[in-house]
Amino acid sequence: MKYLLLPLLLLFTSCVKDVDFDQYSEIAVSPTVAIDLVYVSLSTPDFMKVEAAAPLSFKEEVQLDFEEYDFIQKDLVKIQLEFNYLNTFPQKFQSTIRFMAGKKTVKYTVPVEIPAGSPLEPQVIELVEVIEGKELEIIKHSSRMTIELEMEPNTQQIEGELELRAKALYTFEL
């Protein structure tokens, strides 16, 4: 009998804090939007077209036009960039991601070294770059993002694949 009264006693003596509905103005909604930026898959034939004396490189461009949208300028609070590389070439690569304003003005740069790999042991690089605060304010004035991949030649035969998948998670505070 004593054990039956204890839960009943706890039920009637529990505490409840009053709910203040006047705090509704302090509620901020922070939606996150995921966008695929680029998918690149390069293989041996992509590098066979290039003259031997020229650097073996590839460049991709993504239009951003952040300045055209007021909600981006006012409500964007964070960008999380995710870059995933997979390299089976026996050569190293240097990847350079640039946020640009106009044709030549670089606003923000993300360099990435991609080690040499092989078909049996591909090199996988996963990079997450979180951009907030001052850097975000700089990027908000970018019109495009460029991704450049440059192979560092060596004595080994150029044979393999290089994949790049990039996406962005935009966080807004409304």
Side-chain angles (χ1 to χ4, degrees):
M1 180 77 174
K2 184 171 27 173
Y3 295 111
L4 290 174
L5 290 177
L6 185 59
L8 196 57
L9 181 65
L10 288 175
L11 179 66
F12 287 114
T13 60
S14 63
C15 298
V16 175
K17 185 177 177 182
D18 291 337
V19 178
D20 183 3
F21 288 107
D22 291 330
Q23 293 178 335
Y24 77 93
S25 62
E26 297 174 18
I27 297 172
V29 179
S30 296
T32 300
V33 178
I35 297 175
D36 289 327
L37 294 174
V38 67
Y39 172 73
V40 175
S41 181
L42 302 172
S43 60
T44 306
D46 295 311
F47 294 102
M48 292 297 129
K49 302 171 192 170
V50 181
E51 295 177 25
L56 304 173
S57 64
F58 175 84
K59 189 173 184 179
E60 183 70 26
E61 186 173 296
V62 177
Q63 288 298 123
L64 299 174
D65 298 323
F66 284 153
E67 290 187 305
E68 291 184 21
Y69 301 100
D70 289 338
F71 74 96
I72 289 177
Q73 296 301 315
K74 292 187 308 187
D75 301 326
L76 184 63
V77 293
K78 179 172 79 171
I79 298 175
Q80 179 174 311
L81 299 170
E82 297 178 3
F83 299 97
N84 295 304
Y85 298 88
L86 182 129
N87 183 22
T88 64
F89 281 101
Q91 289 81 16
K92 295 190 314 186
F93 284 82
Q94 180 64 40
S95 175
T96 307
I97 299 118
R98 293 183 182 96
F99 286 83
M100 310 285 290
K103 292 280 185 194
K104 296 184 180 182
T105 306
V106 177
K107 294 289 195 174
Y108 190 82
T109 303
V110 181
V112 183
E113 274 193 35
I114 305 159
S118 73
L120 296 176
E121 291 185 38
Q123 289 294 320
V124 177
I125 302 294
E126 295 178 355
L127 172 71
V128 175
E129 182 86 5
V130 177
I131 303 166
E132 308 178 86
K134 291 179 184 179
E135 284 118 0
L136 180 63
E137 292 306 314
I138 292 169
I139 287 181
K140 283 182 182 181
H141 300 287
S142 299
S143 58
R144 61 195 173 100
M145 179 182 78
T146 63
I147 300 172
E148 189 171 341
L149 298 164
E150 189 168 320
M151 181 186 285
E152 295 181 15
N154 57 20
T155 58
Q156 298 202 19
Q157 184 175 355
I158 297 173
E159 193 170 328
E161 291 185 13
L162 177 69
E163 288 186 6
L164 163 62
R165 295 176 191 265
K167 74 177 184 178
L169 296 152
Y170 298 99
T171 302
F172 296 90
E173 190 168 281
L174 306 174

